[in-house]
Amino acid sequence: MRTAASRLAALAAAALMMVGGVAAAQDPAHPNLMGIWKVTRPVTAAKTIDGRIPPLLPPARAVYAKHLAMAAKGDRSFDGVSDCLPPGMPHIQLIAKPIEILQKPTAIFFNYQENRLPRRVYLNEQHPADWDVSYLGDSVGHWDDDTLVVDTTTMNDRSVLDPSGLPHSDKLHVVERFRLTKAGRLENRITVDDPKTYARPWTMVVRYDRMPAGYRLQEEVCRAGALESEAPPPLAAKGKPGH
Amino acid sequence: MKRESIWRALAAMAATQLAAAAMAQTPPPKPLMLHDDPALALTNISHPGRPAPEGTAPPNPNMHSIEGRWWTSEFKPLLGPAPGVPPPLKPAAMAKLEQSVRNKNKGIPEADASTQCFPHGTPRVMESPYPLEIVETPGQVTILMETQHNIRRIYLQDHHNKMGESFLGDSIGHWEGDTLVVDTIGMNTRTFIDDEGSTHSNKQHVVERFRKIDGGSKLEVTNTIEDPDTLEHPYSYKTVYYWRPDMRTQEYVCEENNRNTVINGITTAK
């Protein structure tokens, strides 16, 4: 009896430790965003919440018209994604490929299947005062009740906002508000503020579905728009000098 | 704070060492050689990493967690069982390494995966002289690397995912006490084991044992490589990383070479 009871107690203690371990590894104080997500519907052209074309200033409208005309002819050279460059923000959040979210109390990590790109969102920190501009910028975040607010700055102007080629400048400032909907989807309300490109800040909404448990991301290696993981051409084809 | 490039720091340290050697009227250190042949001189081992500066947050005392940001203490161009000693390569693989080293010394670097902006492969990716960040979540340990924005996912499960060959391979892990044991297979043959050009087959099998030492201020990884096609026998080496919570990862865009440039055949900071 005593042996059985102590075994039960040990089992219960082990179970408690496991639960404690998992809880400690996650972030019990906030909604659980952990998992792999994919946009519910591919976003081909970002629109405002009421379905309008974003409020482009006249010079930017001309740039956008040029991009649309290029895309109509199959020329996507305005979008660095075709050259394996990072898509920029918020473009990377619109691509219809899996996004892994790792959640910790001090940071949220967005790991994109798209060319293995990462975005690190440190929580309750300030943007560094002196930081190089980059495609994906610098992101910091905080929880506003059940909503994760992510603030991204310090982006270069070499990417486009969305696959349709909406332009932006290096004054771009992106604020994302992530929350779980009642249906279990992840909703991202993205506000774009760029006074050199848009007449006023505007907001779009993107939703994501959780991929089934056990889903594994692929190693995606971009090469001139082709997925290496799907069709690896032989390296020798490039030629080796001296051989 | 903007981080000075690691390669700039490396170059500065090498210059300081040379200047010190000159002042002391001692010759600079003899270059390591694959064999006793100047044409087979190896790139010298560098020490890019430094411990965290004064005032940095103390290391996490939980030895059963390797989470955090780390920076390698040593950049080893040749990943053999001892400094300057090549892996126990079979004759055909050794001949390839010799050719690669000869070409490098003629200023003709090998057109390997990393020079084409592909991932460096496992285990070479772990030798990168750029920071890495380890994140532990239920069932998974993720290593986020600045170099070529590589992401290693180590699934804490007892079977490989077998999703086909990849550059970084298929990694699973389990804890043995305070040691995380990582088992990796499924690497393609498009990468080298190391910078000098030791080659491997798709039968390469890498076992890494991660554990914190010195109260958590260092992470030690003991790496064992076996490859029945290219190695005479399995061998091991160690790499030590400093706890560096103060380092913030920068965006690495290989396609634009934004973090490095090559001067006189040596990768240096822009």
Side-chain angles (χ1 to χ4, degrees), chain B residues 202-217:
Chain B
N202 60 1
K203 292 182 194 146
Q204 181 182 232
H205 175 209
V206 177
V207 177
E208 295 155 287
R209 298 178 66 88
F210 291 74
R211 69 179 185 123
K212 292 205 294 201
I213 55 174
D214 294 355
S217 62

Side-chain angles (χ1 to χ4, degrees), chain B residues 47-254:
Chain B
H47 300 269
R50 284 181 292 276
E54 286 285 318
T56 305
N60 174 2
N62 177 7
M63 300 299 265
H64 194 73
S65 165
I66 57 168
E67 214 165 48
R69 291 175 231 173
W70 305 92
W71 191 16
T72 186
S73 64
E74 192 173 73
F75 174 62
K76 302 187 286 289
L78 188 70
L79 287 180
V85 177
L89 296 166
K90 287 189 171 177
M94 185 59 87
K96 279 190 195 170
L97 173 62
E98 285 179 13
Q99 190 59 46
S100 178
V101 173
R102 276 182 208 283
N103 284 344
K104 174 200 71 178
N105 289 330
K106 283 189 219 156
I108 310 166
E110 290 294 309
D112 76 318
S114 71
T115 60
Q116 297 178 49
C117 297
F118 296 147
H120 292 66
T122 303
R124 185 179 166 198
V125 71
M126 293 298 291
E127 297 303 313
S128 142
Y130 291 88
L132 54 90
E133 178 155 19
I134 301 180
V135 183
E136 293 173 4
T137 48
Q140 188 173 325
V141 176
T142 308
I143 307 181
L144 299 162
M145 328 204 62
E146 178 168 319
T147 303
Q148 262 151 260
H149 42 88
N150 286 309
I151 301 176
R152 287 187 71 191
R153 291 185 186 80
I154 297 150
Y155 297 103
L156 303 181
Q157 61 189 34
D158 57 9
H159 59 278
H160 287 280
N161 288 308
K162 302 218 170 110
M163 291 171 65
E165 288 181 8
S166 60
F167 287 89
L168 297 182
D170 177 350
S171 297
I172 56 172
H174 67 275
W175 287 92
E176 287 178 10
D178 289 338
T179 300
L180 176 69
V181 183
V182 178
D183 189 294
T184 305
I185 58 167
M187 280 79 81
N188 67 32
T189 57
R190 305 169 69 196
T191 61
F192 295 149
I193 294 175
D194 54 33
D195 266 36
E196 295 283 16
S198 303
T199 48
H200 63 84
S201 78
N202 60 1
K203 292 182 194 146
Q204 181 182 232
H205 175 209
V206 177
V207 177
E208 295 155 287
R209 298 178 66 88
F210 291 74
R211 69 179 185 123
K212 292 205 294 201
I213 55 174
D214 294 355
S217 62
K218 289 178 189 162
L219 176 68
E220 178 194 83
V221 182
T222 307
N223 207 319
T224 302
I225 305 180
E226 81 179 277
D227 187 333
D229 283 4
T230 60
L231 295 177
E232 298 281 9
H233 53 82
Y235 75 99
S236 301
Y237 61 88
K238 274 184 187 161
T239 301
V240 173
Y241 303 81
Y242 290 119
W243 161 257
R244 289 300 301 268
D246 55 311
M247 300 199 76
R248 200 177 172 104
T249 309
Q250 295 187 13
E251 185 173 272
Y252 187 114
V253 185
C254 175

Side-chain angles (χ1 to χ4, degrees), chain A residues 21 58 63 68 70 109 117 129 138 174 184 224 237:
Chain A
V63 172
L68 291 175
M70 288 166 77
F109 300 87
L117 290 162
D138 185 78
V174 176

Side-chain angles (χ1 to χ4, degrees), chain A residues 100 104 111 115-116 122 125 130 132 134-136 138 158 216 219 221 223 228 235 241 243, chain B residues 2 67 108 110 116 118 133 136 140 148-149 153 155 157 161 166-168 190 248 251 256:
Chain A
E100 177 185 57
K104 304 295 289 185
N111 297 326
N115 207 17
R116 317 177 318 284
Y122 297 114
E125 284 190 20
D130 176 19
D132 285 339
S134 62
Y135 285 90
L136 297 174
D138 185 78
R158 300 206 293 272
R216 302 292 186 230
E219 180 186 83
V221 180
R223 173 149 146 179
E228 278 298 311
L235 269 185
H243 278 238
Chain B
K2 195 179 288 185
E67 214 165 48
I108 310 166
E110 290 294 309
Q116 297 178 49
F118 296 147
E133 178 155 19
E136 293 173 4
Q140 188 173 325
Q148 262 151 260
H149 42 88
R153 291 185 186 80
Y155 297 103
Q157 61 189 34
N161 288 308
S166 60
F167 287 89
L168 297 182
R190 305 169 69 196
R248 200 177 172 104
E251 185 173 272
E256 294 184 334

